[in-house]
């Protein structure tokens, strides 16, 4: 393999101006999209490295160190992932930097956000970016790389690639995706730069996500870009990995030291049986992990699935049961259909399991009235999740919701968000305090940075516990009495 068979993929940061600011949580994880592209190209005989810029900056790397890394090896092509809208500035900054270093090496971008706004990107930045891969990228990227390798340029007629031709016209031919998911190579975290030695208490280096489904979201929410078929992007029908494939993928992750596993919600659109088989196989194979996170959408599973999820072989099982709004009227307006009575029953069953329950709430959707908002607050109070994430609705150009009447005024949005946040935090503190006085198992992670007499560890529900001890306890499981809850952490006493 000569050096000209090398491809460099890049997971961008948010902005150079924010490089010293802690990035969003999901930006810190390794991109399974780029990992899949890398695995596919490697199977075809190419060398691939992924540069994770958000991870580099999070761990103290300077811009000059990133530049030095880029200069250390010349690829035949750069590919930049652009999954989220907030990565757009970072994507453009990265492309500009690459052009300054290597003016003649082609740059393409891809990912969910780039696909949704491919025409805008090509129209506005064709002098910087040579093309946008629309939708699933394995086959298209392979064709692009072959084209550059063989002729030195990108062939304009490659299906799935949007480009601007010499006449200034946009060219694009849709690629009909027919790849069988279980025939794709397994993902690996090897070959991602920088390789970070985990700090005590940092779970991110141990986290990995399972790529479970392709072909768009099962929902048709009018406030989301994936609604109305946009999420399919080349695949005519949703396709799912088999439980057997996911188990083999987990085995590889465990070999790489990944012990916090996340499985995305759209897999559940395939019904109960695949999930039950997945959990059953994990138990048969004794694939024990530190944490297993399930993201579940209302309406795709029967209520008894929560007992199945609880039985997964993990120290902690977390279930994120997404509702978004407590108003059935608002939900219907947004294209989401569910019954709150059924949700209450599900949450009641979920609450009787030993799982950690979380949720997310989205306020100020178009048409939301004060009465609708109070219905959401009421649901938050009734369901009492262990923790919850709150978000403010923001317009997405190209969605039906963006042009709806009755958009909520900004001052009302801020007021409602603050009120909801206060409610969520109050309940969170109350839920945290429910184990006061109990003796529970704590995984000791580090010496307390503010008081060297104290050690810091975590409960299975991720709450911190501080107690007297010494550094010989780091990495051990200790029995600790939870003496006092101080909001979202405990002060305790080691027992025995």
């Amino acid at each position: 393999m000569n050096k000209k068979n090398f491809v460099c993929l890049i997971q961008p940061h948010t902005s150079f101006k924010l490089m010293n600011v802690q990035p969003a949580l999901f930006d810190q994880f390794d991109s399974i999209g780029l990992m899949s592209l890398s695995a596919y190209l490697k199977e075809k005989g190419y060398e691939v490295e992924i540069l994770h810029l958000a991870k580099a900056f999070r761990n103290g790397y300077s811009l000059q160190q990133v530049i030095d890394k880029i200069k250390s090896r010349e690829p035949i092509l750069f590919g930049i992932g652009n999954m989220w809208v907030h990565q757009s500035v970072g994507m453009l900054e990265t492309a500009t930097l690459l052009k300054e270093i290597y003016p003649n090496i082609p740059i393409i971008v891809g990912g969910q956000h780039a696909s949704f706004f491919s025409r805008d990107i090509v129209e506005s930045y064709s002098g910087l970016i040579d093309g946008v891969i629309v939708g699933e990228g394995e086959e298209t990227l392979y064709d692009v790389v072959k084209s550059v390798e063989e002729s030195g340029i990108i062939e304009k007629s490659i299906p799935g690639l949007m480009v601007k031709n010499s006449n200034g016209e946009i060219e694009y031919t849709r690629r009909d995706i027919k790849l069988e998911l279980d025939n794709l190579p397994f993902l690996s975290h090897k070959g991602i730069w920088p390789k970070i030695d985990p700090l005590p208490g940092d779970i991110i280096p141990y986290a990995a996500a399972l790529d479970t489904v392709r072909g768009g979201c099962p929902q048709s929410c009018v406030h989301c870009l994936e609604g109305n078929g946009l999420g399919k992007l080349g695949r005519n029908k949703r396709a799912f990995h088999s439980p057997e494939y996911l188990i083999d993928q987990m085995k590889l992750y465990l070999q790489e030291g990944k012990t916090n596993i996340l499985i995305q919600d759209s897999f559940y659109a395939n019904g109960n049986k695949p999930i039950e088989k997945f959990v059953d196989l994990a138990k048969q194979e004794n694939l024990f992990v530190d944490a297993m996170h399930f993201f579940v959408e209302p309406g795709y599973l029967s209520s008894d699935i929560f007992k199945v999820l609880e039985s997964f072989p993990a120290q902690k099982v977390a279930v994120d049961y997404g509702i978004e709004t407590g108003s059935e009227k608002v939900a219907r307006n947004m294209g989401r259909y569910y019954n709150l009575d059924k949700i209450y029953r599900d949450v009641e069953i979920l609450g009787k399991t030993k799982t950690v329950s979380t949720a997310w709430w989205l306020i100020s959707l178009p048409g939301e009235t004060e009465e609708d908002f109070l219905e959401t607050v009421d649901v938050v109070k009734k369901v009492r999740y262990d923790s919850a994430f709150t978000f403010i609705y923001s317009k997405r150009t190209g969605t039906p919701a963006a042009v709806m009447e009755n958009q909520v005024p900004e001052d009302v949005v801020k007021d409602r968000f603050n009120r909801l946040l206060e409610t969520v935090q109050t309940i969170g503190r109350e839920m945290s305090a429910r184990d006061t006085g109990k003796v529970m198992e704590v995984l000791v992670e580090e010496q307390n940075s503010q008081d060297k007499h104290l050690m810091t560890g975590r409960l299975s529900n991720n709450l911190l516990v501080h107690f007297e001890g010494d550094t010989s306890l780091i990495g051990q499981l200790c029995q600790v009495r939870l003496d006092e809850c101080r909001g979202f952490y405990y002060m305790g006493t080691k027992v025995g």
Side-chain angles (χ1 to χ4, degrees):
M1 183 68 64
N2 68 61
K3 64 180 182 180
K4 296 304 290 182
N5 293 103
F6 171 58
V7 176
C8 182
L9 304 178
I10 298 180
Q11 185 170 341
H13 54 295
T14 302
S15 168
F16 288 141
K17 293 180 180 179
L18 301 174
M19 58 184 289
N20 295 319
V21 177
Q22 184 84 336
L25 183 62
F26 43 80
D27 286 342
Q28 300 175 42
F29 298 129
D30 296 334
S31 165
I32 59 174
L34 292 181
M35 288 164 60
S36 184
L37 296 175
S38 173
Y40 192 81
L41 288 180
K42 287 178 179 178
E43 190 176 63
K44 299 294 185 181
Y46 291 91
E47 290 187 62
V48 185
E49 186 172 28
I50 299 172
L51 307 187
H52 192 329
L53 301 193
K55 179 192 289 186
F57 293 143
R58 175 184 186 259
N59 287 278
Y61 282 72
S62 67
L63 179 57
Q64 186 58 52
Q65 285 175 297
V66 169
I67 292 172
D68 291 342
K69 175 61 180 177
I70 293 170
K71 289 181 176 180
S72 68
R73 189 173 184 190
E74 180 178 332
I76 59 174
L77 179 131
F78 285 106
I80 307 174
N82 187 192
M83 280 297 297
W84 310 101
V85 62
H86 65 268
Q87 292 176 331
S88 299
V89 172
M91 178 269 288
L92 293 172
E93 288 179 342
T94 300
T96 302
L97 181 64
L98 296 176
K99 280 296 184 189
E100 291 173 354
I101 299 172
Y102 297 114
N104 299 317
I105 294 180
I107 300 171
I108 60 169
V109 300
Q112 179 175 264
H113 183 75
S115 294
F116 293 151
F117 296 99
S118 53
R119 187 167 294 273
D120 297 311
I121 294 172
V122 172
E123 186 67 53
S124 301
Y125 302 103
S126 60
L128 180 64
I129 293 165
D130 296 278
V132 176
I133 291 179
V134 180
E136 294 180 41
E138 284 84 0
E139 294 173 301
T140 303
L141 179 60
Y142 175 53
D143 287 347
V144 170
V145 171
K146 280 196 306 180
S147 173
V148 174
E149 183 182 28
E150 294 169 0
S151 66
I153 61 171
I154 295 176
E155 171 60 48
K156 304 289 187 184
S157 60
I158 294 173
L161 181 70
M162 186 174 292
V163 298
K164 183 181 283 189
N165 63 27
S166 57
N167 297 322
E169 300 169 333
I170 292 178
E171 292 187 16
Y172 172 67
T173 302
R174 182 182 182 273
R175 180 182 288 272
D176 188 11
I177 305 292
K178 295 181 179 179
L179 279 175
E180 293 290 336
L181 293 195
D182 280 3
N183 291 335
L184 288 171
F186 293 114
L187 310 187
S188 173
H189 292 262
K190 294 180 179 179
I192 300 178
W193 179 89
K195 185 177 180 180
I196 302 298
D197 293 326
L199 297 173
D202 187 1
I203 67 167
I204 291 173
Y206 302 104
L210 292 173
D211 180 16
T212 60
V213 60
R214 298 193 185 184
C217 178
Q219 301 277 10
S220 295
C221 306
V222 300
H223 58 291
C224 178
L225 285 164
E226 288 201 55
N228 304 305
L230 283 173
K232 296 179 181 177
L233 295 172
R235 190 179 286 273
N236 293 318
K237 184 180 179 181
R238 278 194 303 277
F240 302 89
H241 276 302
S242 67
E244 291 84 358
Y245 180 97
L246 297 178
I247 290 297
D248 287 341
Q249 176 68 79
M250 273 195 65
K251 290 178 181 178
L252 178 59
Y253 280 164
L254 287 170
Q255 291 173 11
E256 295 181 348
K258 305 300 180 181
T259 56
N260 281 257
I261 309 298
L262 180 148
I263 188 167
Q264 291 287 8
D265 53 6
S266 292
F267 188 40
Y268 295 92
N270 215 10
N272 272 35
K273 289 185 178 179
I275 305 303
E276 292 172 350
K277 188 169 186 180
F278 171 72
V279 174
D280 187 54
L281 288 172
K283 290 190 287 188
Q284 290 178 31
E285 299 276 356
N286 195 29
L287 298 184
F288 189 84
V289 297
D290 291 337
M292 188 71 197
H293 300 261
F294 295 97
F295 280 64
V296 184
E297 292 262 2
Y300 293 100
L301 299 165
S302 62
S303 301
D304 57 1
I305 197 64
F306 298 114
K307 294 294 290 183
V308 175
L309 302 184
E310 179 190 27
S311 70
F312 193 92
Q315 182 178 334
K316 179 186 78 172
V317 175
V319 178
D320 193 312
Y321 190 47
I323 301 175
E324 289 192 354
T325 176
S327 167
E328 291 185 8
K329 183 202 79 177
V330 172
R332 286 193 301 271
N333 289 345
M334 295 300 105
R336 292 175 65 89
Y337 297 92
Y338 51 71
N339 181 281
L340 281 175
D341 290 336
K342 168 68 164 56
I343 287 175
Y344 287 143
R345 290 194 297 272
D346 284 353
V347 173
E348 183 179 4
I349 294 170
L350 178 60
K352 293 178 180 178
T353 68
K354 296 178 182 179
T355 61
V356 178
S357 61
T358 61
W360 65 91
W361 303 98
L362 184 62
I363 64 158
S364 298
L365 289 158
E368 180 190 78
T369 64
E370 178 68 12
E371 181 181 0
D372 297 325
F373 169 73
L374 292 177
E375 287 180 2
T376 295
V377 174
D378 185 57
V379 173
V380 171
K381 291 179 179 178
K382 287 179 179 178
V383 296
R384 297 182 67 81
Y385 288 110
D386 292 306
S387 64
F389 304 96
T390 53
F391 300 95
I392 295 173
Y393 161 74
S394 59
K395 292 182 182 180
R396 293 288 185 266
T397 302
T399 62
V403 294
M404 283 183 172
E405 297 180 356
N406 300 323
Q407 301 286 334
V408 181
E410 186 175 347
D411 59 331
V412 177
V413 171
K414 292 180 179 179
D415 174 67
R416 289 178 184 170
F417 178 77
N418 290 335
R419 289 154 61 195
L420 180 64
L421 185 61
E422 181 180 358
T423 302
V424 166
Q425 290 178 337
T426 298
I427 293 172
R429 286 191 291 268
E430 292 171 356
M431 297 299 286
S432 298
R434 62 186 170 180
D435 292 323
T436 301
K438 294 181 180 179
V439 175
M440 301 188 73
E441 193 172 65
V442 174
L443 175 62
V444 185
E445 295 181 340
E446 61 183 343
Q447 188 177 51
N448 190 286
S449 59
Q450 298 180 354
D451 186 340
K452 300 303 182 183
H453 296 94
L454 298 178
M455 301 305 296
T456 296
R458 290 183 188 271
L459 297 167
S460 62
N461 63 6
N462 217 37
L463 284 178
L464 290 174
V465 181
H466 308 296
F467 62 96
E468 286 194 7
D470 58 61
T471 55
S472 66
L473 298 174
I474 293 175
Q476 296 186 31
L477 292 170
C478 297
Q479 296 295 314
V480 177
R481 185 177 65 247
L482 307 181
D483 298 323
E484 180 186 0
C485 182
R486 298 183 180 178
F488 294 98
Y489 69 92
Y490 276 100
M491 300 302 298
T493 303
K494 184 176 179 295
V495 176

